[in-house]
Amino acid sequence: MKYTEIMVRYGELSTKGKNRKTFIMQLAQNVKRALADFPALKIHADRDRMHILLNGEDSEEVIPKLSKVFGIQNFSPSIRIEKEMPAIRAMVQEVVREVYTPGKTFKITAKRSDHSFELDSNGLNQELGGAVIEAIPEIQVQMKKPDINLRIEIRKDAAYLSYETIRGAGGLPVGTSGRGMLMLSGGIDSPVAGYLAMKRGVEVEAVHFASPPYTSEQVLQKAKDLAEKLVPYVGTIQFIEVPFTEIQEEIKRVVPQGYLMTITRRLMLRLTDAIREMRKGLVIINGESLGQVASQTLQSMVAINEVTSTPIIRPVVSMDKTEIIEIAEKIDTFELAIQPFEDCCTIFAPPQPKTRPRLDKAQDYEARLDLEGLMARALEGLKITEISAETAKDKQEDEFADFL
Ligand code: ATP
Ligand code: MG
């Protein structure tokens, strides 16, 4: 079927009262960015819906990209028809012939926004229901949950016919909730945490701690690749690499074994918070899941979290590993995440980290460090790169060039 437009129904933003306009504008911008590869498209957003005019672009390529944009409840690809009954009847018949298989039921859902049109919605329902039965005499009408729901809408400019409703990504448009710094390791949990924060409208920047030569170039690349997997949901991600080697060596030198993990995490959090302030972020997001490992017990959270009063969002805190993996598979980060490269924490991890660290001890041990100097040097060495669909494409082309 040659669709001419896609009608988009907004998600939760319809309940947002005064903020509605901001939400719709942000969504329109995000849709534009997600569909930048289709230059002929035209997007019109109004109070209740968004209309994407395809102008000849292929709906089958547009739909998968649109399905990833947060803030959309569902959408219906539709066909524009001249506002004349014979043309509408003919198109209804053509569509039903194409989608009908024996046993399927149908109904017509007509809506007339243009009140000057010759038939009202009841009249349209009857007339077009008749046209369907004329095309397929054995087809049954069913009002509740029909297999085929033919929606016809008479608008000012034309009539629109649709028969599929595709579920959108839900959530809120990315950017409407402000900015957060995602602590992105190379693991399974943090990309999922980032995805879930974005789903609630947070614009995410990725902060990654690297400790070369203890951690390899591959771990860094893996973290970047994971960030890239999140790009379709946001358009672009700033990837912030923090040089962490000196700090880890220093911690290892002055802190007793049992507290290495706690102090390392405190430093990571301090640095992420400093970066958040520089980048005008509001919150920090991480992939901690309660009880998963030693650093993620409640006692550890108390001993680590104390370094900042910035809210820390932990989207996967109460999920089981299997639940997190389910989402990782859905967003295609799982395969990448399980590649076995050492990350900066595993290398310096003591054989037996304290699962119940004491806050007062953590403070004492941390005081042995030259915090100010260490942090200043790490912040001077930040490397910020933008990861976008374009970088992903360039990379693909490079790989292809190698292949040739
Ligand atoms: P993940 O699967 O996200 O790596 P994990 O279960 O392995 O999590 P930890 O290694 O204890 O757990 O890390 C807990 C959280 O700390 C991570 O989810 C991430 O948000 C943050 N984190 C850990 N290592 C790094 C790193 N090298 N760079 C940035 N953030 C990190
Ligand atoms: Mg990890």
Side-chain angles (χ1 to χ4, degrees), residues 198-310:
M198 290 190 292
K199 182 160 189 247
R200 296 308 298 171
V202 183
E203 181 204 335
V204 156
E205 295 195 347
V207 177
H208 177 77
F209 294 85
S211 303
Y214 306 106
T215 59
S216 63
E217 191 56 37
Q218 287 150 308
V219 187
L220 179 64
Q221 190 54 48
K222 180 176 158 189
K224 286 186 180 169
D225 290 345
L226 285 168
E228 198 182 295
K229 291 282 183 192
L230 300 176
V231 162
Y233 306 95
V234 276
T236 57
I237 292 184
Q238 303 299 324
F239 184 93
I240 304 167
E241 180 192 337
V242 191
F244 204 50
T245 314
E246 190 197 356
I247 293 179
Q248 288 216 290
E249 286 174 341
E250 195 55 16
I251 293 175
K252 177 110 188 166
R253 201 172 65 81
V254 304
V255 174
Q257 278 260 354
Y259 276 78
L260 287 180
M261 179 64 85
T262 311
I263 305 301
T264 306
R265 296 295 164 156
R266 283 172 67 99
L267 266 290
M268 277 190 179
L269 195 52
R270 282 186 188 279
L271 282 164
T272 306
D273 204 31
I275 296 167
R276 173 200 62 75
E277 210 175 321
M278 285 160 50
R279 310 281 306 170
K280 302 196 168 49
L282 296 171
V283 296
I284 293 169
I285 302 139
N286 71 22
E288 286 174 344
S289 169
L290 190 56
Q292 207 185 77
V293 290
S295 62
Q296 298 175 25
T297 61
L298 287 181
Q299 289 85 352
S300 276
M301 280 188 200
V302 170
I304 295 165
N305 209 150
E306 190 243 357
V307 302
T308 178
S309 59
T310 299

Side-chain angles (χ1 to χ4, degrees), residues 337-357:
I338 57 175
Q339 287 177 20
F341 299 125
E342 298 281 352
D343 75 19
C344 66
C345 308
T346 32
I347 288 162
F348 287 93
Q352 281 171 320
K354 284 246 180 301
T355 53
R356 293 166 192 266

Side-chain angles (χ1 to χ4, degrees), residues 308-378:
T308 178
S309 59
T310 299
I312 302 180
I313 297 181
R314 299 177 172 89
V316 303
V317 76
S318 63
M319 288 188 193
D320 293 346
K321 197 76 188 182
T322 49
E323 293 171 307
I324 301 172
I325 289 176
E326 232 169 77
I327 301 177
E329 280 175 334
K330 189 174 101 184
I331 62 172
D332 195 27
T333 53
F334 182 67
E335 287 300 318
L336 254 174
I338 57 175
Q339 287 177 20
F341 299 125
E342 298 281 352
D343 75 19
C344 66
C345 308
T346 32
I347 288 162
F348 287 93
Q352 281 171 320
K354 284 246 180 301
T355 53
R356 293 166 192 266
R358 279 173 42 187
L359 178 57
D360 55 343
K361 285 200 174 173
Q363 287 166 333
D364 286 350
Y365 296 138
E366 194 188 62
R368 296 179 181 178
L369 297 167
D370 164 27
L371 267 188
E372 219 170 288
L374 287 169
M375 285 187 50
R377 286 190 290 281

